[in-house]
Amino acid sequence: MSTCATASRVLAEPLAATAATARTWLLVEQPGPWGAKALTESHLDPELGRALEAAAGAHGARVALIRRPGRHADCAGTAARRVFLARTEPGDSWIRTTVLPDSPDGDAVLRALDFAALDADGPDALPEPWRPYEGEPLALVCTNGKRDRCCALLGRPLAAELTASGIGNVWEITHIGGHRFSPTLLVLPYGYAYGRTGAAAVKDVLEAVRQGRVRTEGCRGRSAWDRPGQAADLAVREHTGEDGADALTVTDVREESGEESQEESAGRWEVTVAHRDGRRWRVTVVSVDDALPVPASCGVVPGAPARAHVESIAQVTAETPV
């Protein structure tokens, strides 16, 4: 059986700069089956799902459903649901959590989330019953087969294996983008995503997170950044060997413009990456179309997806023009 993940792997499609973009993640536990649009096609109140998606999207956040790995009977009720709220920016990476009743009272806590206040005041904006999360890194494996069969065929066995091994805090998640890179993984609090990953590699990723580090092999990018920023961050890490999770920050992303036409100048960025020790790099990122067509998802006509390609890296000195 040919799948989008098989095609992407055979064609060695690059993983870098393919992570979903989100500074903040809201993860809501919802057992039972998930539809392709899980926020409105599950046992979660569809009106609540639409409201959360709209509120989060207006502030660069994403909402996803999660559930524990295993069999998922189609039962409508659950006593309570675990909820996580995470920020993924360097120096401001945190997770807050609570357990809410599966009732209008629990829904009211979710509806009351103020994403604008979170942007301004961080976790201090969260009232009771939110608490700091102090457990193992969150390992979130995409398993939503209704969205794409590769997520179920490859993601569910990985989630089950990780759970059986007893490492991390493992959850299935509805969607983190990039079905063709299945099995896909998002790790919080730092928000780095991974693709085509196996259990042994995930164990290494989680051990690195425990130590405040980033494992770049198989990494798709940090969700706090857009695609050019993801590409630049990973490129500087590869260039310097820096693996501290909070050591690098994307401080500026500028799309180039000049005498050429707007069409010709589109898809070219100058990205500034700063180290906490004061060093800076200027990274030129260009958008290129892959020569070989790859289906973005199973059943979709293959296309030539644009990818962010790092053209050059230069360390910025005091004499370098800005």
Side-chain angles (χ1 to χ4, degrees):
M1 176 177 60
S2 178
T3 64
C4 63
T6 299
S8 179
R9 187 185 296 268
V10 168
L11 295 173
E13 183 182 4
L15 291 166
T18 63
T21 299
R23 293 175 300 166
T24 304
W25 290 84
L26 173 62
L27 309 175
V28 181
E29 183 178 6
Q30 183 57 65
W34 298 332
K37 297 180 180 179
L39 290 178
T40 56
E41 297 175 356
S42 66
H43 291 313
L44 184 73
D45 176 7
E47 182 182 346
L48 175 62
R50 283 189 288 268
L52 291 175
E53 188 171 38
H59 296 278
R62 288 175 69 105
V63 184
L65 303 185
I66 57 174
R67 64 190 178 194
R68 288 298 190 183
R71 296 178 62 85
H72 305 294
D74 190 358
C75 51
T78 182
R81 59 166 67 103
R82 171 68 65 177
V83 184
F84 297 99
L85 189 65
R87 179 61 61 89
T88 62
E89 294 180 329
D92 188 28
S93 297
W94 47 261
I95 302 176
R96 296 294 185 269
T97 187
T98 189
V99 177
L100 300 176
D102 186 16
S103 69
D105 289 342
D107 291 354
V109 172
L110 293 175
R111 291 179 186 274
L113 279 172
D114 187 339
F115 288 95
L118 278 175
D119 286 344
D121 301 323
D124 292 340
L126 292 169
E128 295 287 343
W130 295 94
R131 292 282 191 274
Y133 173 74
E134 298 175 349
E136 287 282 289
L138 300 184
L140 303 147
V141 182
C142 185
T143 63
N144 190 357
K146 293 294 185 180
R147 188 93 182 199
D148 189 277
R149 62 187 179 186
C150 288
C151 298
L153 292 172
L154 301 174
R156 293 197 67 191
L158 174 61
E161 184 177 355
L162 293 172
T163 299
S165 71
I167 64 160
N169 190 353
V170 182
W171 296 82
E172 297 184 4
I173 188 170
T174 49
H175 182 54
I176 56 175
H179 323 294
R180 63 190 186 278
F181 304 119
S182 295
T184 57
L185 171 78
L186 175 69
V187 180
L188 295 172
Y190 300 130
Y192 279 93
Y194 294 82
R196 303 188 193 121
T197 188
V202 175
K203 292 176 184 179
D204 290 342
V205 167
L206 295 177
E207 181 57 32
V209 172
R210 293 186 191 100
Q211 299 173 19
R213 299 185 296 107
V214 177
R215 186 178 187 270
T216 57
E217 184 177 353
C219 190
R220 299 175 58 200
R222 188 169 191 157
S223 72
W225 316 131
D226 57 14
R227 297 299 172 84
Q230 291 176 18
D233 172 51
L234 290 177
V236 171
R237 290 189 180 280
E238 294 287 351
H239 181 69
T240 63
E242 177 59 68
D243 65 357
D246 287 336
L248 299 180
T249 302
V250 175
T251 60
D252 189 43
V253 178
R254 298 183 185 181
E255 187 165 8
E256 282 195 343
S257 60
E259 296 180 355
E260 61 267 62
S261 69
Q262 183 175 356
E263 182 178 348
E264 290 172 336
S265 64
R268 185 180 183 89
W269 300 267
E270 291 293 340
V271 184
T272 302
V273 178
H275 195 285
R276 59 187 168 194
D277 66 9
R279 287 178 292 164
R280 292 187 300 158
W281 292 266
R282 181 171 297 156
V283 185
T284 302
V285 180
V286 296
S287 179
V288 298
D289 293 335
D290 283 330
L292 297 174
V294 179
S297 187
C298 289
V300 174
V301 175
R307 62 182 176 87
H309 170 72
V310 173
E311 189 173 77
S312 65
I313 303 175
Q315 188 166 348
V316 177
T317 65
E319 293 77 24
T320 304
V322 177

